[in-house]
Amino acid sequence: MDRQTQRQLFDILYALAARDGREAALFGRSLSFAREAFARSIASELFPEVWFEIPLAGDPWFDLHLLTSRDALNPGMVFSAEDTGSHPQVFEWFAKQEGVRQLALSWDVGKGNTTLPAVQVLVTKSDPEIPCSFLRAVGQSGLQDAYRTFTEHMPHTWFACYTGVFPNRECNFVRVECIPSRRMQHVYAQDASLLEAHLRQIGICDLGKTIVSRCQMLARLPFQIEFQFDVMPDGTPGPTFSASARFACPPGEDGWSSFDQSGAAGELMKSIETWGLASDRWRMLADTIFAKRITQADTSCILFNFPAFVKLRWRGGEPLDAKVYLLAGAQL
């Protein structure tokens, strides 16, 4: 699929997700920046995985995450700065790796930033050398010890699935996302004291009044939970902590999403609204779900979009905000 066709499909994808008043209510005025960011993130002939990051309260806007699969690349490929968000050396590294799944470029298009994205690697196996190698490739070798220190304190039932850096932000940290095993999630659902102990073990000192109780609530839902940390150079978590619930179905299961406004997902969203972290616009999320076959420039594919995650954030133990992540793409 050539780059022009990919850009056209992105425009159609966005139009379908944002129609019927959803642009004004959910997406805001970030489209022009998103189109530019997308054009700078087409590293292969396969359409990238698209994530729209949307806040659930306040003024509407979105950020854009574009993920390239390792299967879309080969070790002999040559990359340009124009197609990789100015990170060609990271894509060259990624194309030669085993044990990796996706490489993400994350653009702050809600702030109009199309200069330099954040970059993250998603892995398929627990091997600390892969994230450390990634940090060297992205020019952040000084954060390797921070990553190792953090993961050495991580509960052994957690999997560090994601490592990212943000060269477009002033604070120097490495972001690490962790997935507790399903068995451990079930334990957390019953035992808040162990959940609290593990969060303190990883270095969260200020749990405030709601982190443990709300994370336990997430653990009781039929969705996979994930925890996200901004790891400082000394290996300790920074003040911002996130917990997510994944609506997307696990690989191999039928369907793309288990987001059901009348089921567990809807009950969770009502709670988030009650906590003051979401307006009633979350009720438009179900209308963003679609799967449509499109023919564009002799390319026939299925365009799809659905709510995949909801994320709660705290800073210094105090609730900060909530965001939803829409997962979109094109399947040949």
Side-chain angles (χ1 to χ4, degrees), residues 35-319:
R35 295 181 78 242
E36 182 178 348
F38 183 87
R40 297 192 57 213
S41 307
I42 306 174
S44 78
E45 294 181 354
L46 292 182
F47 194 87
E49 188 173 278
V50 177
W51 292 75
F52 298 106
E53 176 185 343
I54 298 175
L56 291 172
D59 294 334
W61 53 268
F62 73 92
D63 284 338
L64 187 68
H65 308 264
L66 300 161
L67 283 67
T68 299
S69 170
R70 172 63 183 84
D71 295 338
L73 308 179
N74 65 68
M77 293 179 68
V78 177
F79 301 96
S80 69
E82 292 77 13
D83 297 330
T84 58
S86 299
H87 290 295
Q89 78 286 358
V90 185
F91 278 80
E92 291 170 3
W93 167 86
F94 181 70
K96 299 172 183 176
Q97 299 304 305
E98 296 182 358
V100 295
R101 183 165 62 89
Q102 291 172 307
L103 190 67
L105 297 177
S106 296
W107 299 87
D108 293 332
V109 298
K111 298 177 181 177
N113 176 20
T114 58
T115 303
L116 188 63
V119 58
Q120 301 97 16
V121 65
L122 290 84
V123 300
T124 59
K125 63 180 181 179
S126 184
D127 180 355
E129 178 51 32
I130 297 174
C132 288
S133 177
F134 162 76
L135 291 171
R136 294 193 295 271
V138 80
Q140 296 287 343
S141 58
L143 289 171
Q144 293 179 90
D145 288 344
Y147 179 87
R148 290 193 180 98
T149 298
F150 176 83
T151 53
E152 284 171 359
H153 288 89
M154 190 173 68
H156 73 276
T157 53
W158 292 13
F159 170 52
C161 66
Y162 158 119
T163 306
V165 294
F166 295 77
N168 55 343
R169 302 185 187 180
E170 294 182 3
C171 186
N172 185 33
F173 63 86
V174 53
R175 179 164 291 174
V176 182
E177 184 148 323
C178 304
I179 306 176
S181 70
R182 291 295 288 186
R183 180 179 177 278
M184 184 52 60
Q185 178 172 332
H186 292 317
V187 175
Y188 291 155
Q190 303 299 322
D191 187 352
S193 64
L194 182 61
L195 172 59
E196 178 176 348
H198 280 178
L199 291 174
R200 292 193 184 280
Q201 174 182 326
I202 203 66
I204 300 292
C205 298
D206 192 351
L207 292 170
K209 298 179 180 179
T210 63
I211 288 181
V212 174
S213 61
R214 291 180 183 177
C215 286
Q216 186 178 40
M217 176 185 175
L218 295 180
R220 289 172 173 165
L221 296 171
F223 311 123
Q224 177 71 58
I225 60 170
E226 302 186 12
F227 299 139
Q228 194 176 83
F229 307 86
D230 293 341
V231 180
M232 298 295 108
D234 65 356
T236 61
T240 303
F241 164 73
S242 304
S244 303
R246 182 184 181 95
F247 301 129
C249 292
E253 292 190 7
D254 292 337
W256 283 310
S257 176
S258 54
F259 185 87
D260 181 355
Q261 192 165 310
S262 62
E267 291 303 313
L268 171 59
M269 301 306 295
K270 290 175 185 176
S271 295
I272 293 173
E273 183 178 5
T274 300
W275 299 334
L277 301 177
S279 69
D280 63 357
R281 66 178 179 241
W282 71 264
R283 289 172 170 81
M284 303 182 76
L285 293 175
D287 296 328
T288 68
I289 301 173
F290 64 82
K292 294 182 180 292
R293 181 164 292 280
I294 298 290
T295 299
Q296 185 74 19
D298 298 326
T299 296
S300 179
C301 63
I302 295 175
L303 296 184
F304 64 89
N305 184 73
F306 59 86
F309 276 96
V310 66
K311 181 166 79 173
L312 307 177
R313 294 199 305 163
W314 292 262
R315 183 169 293 158
E318 294 299 317

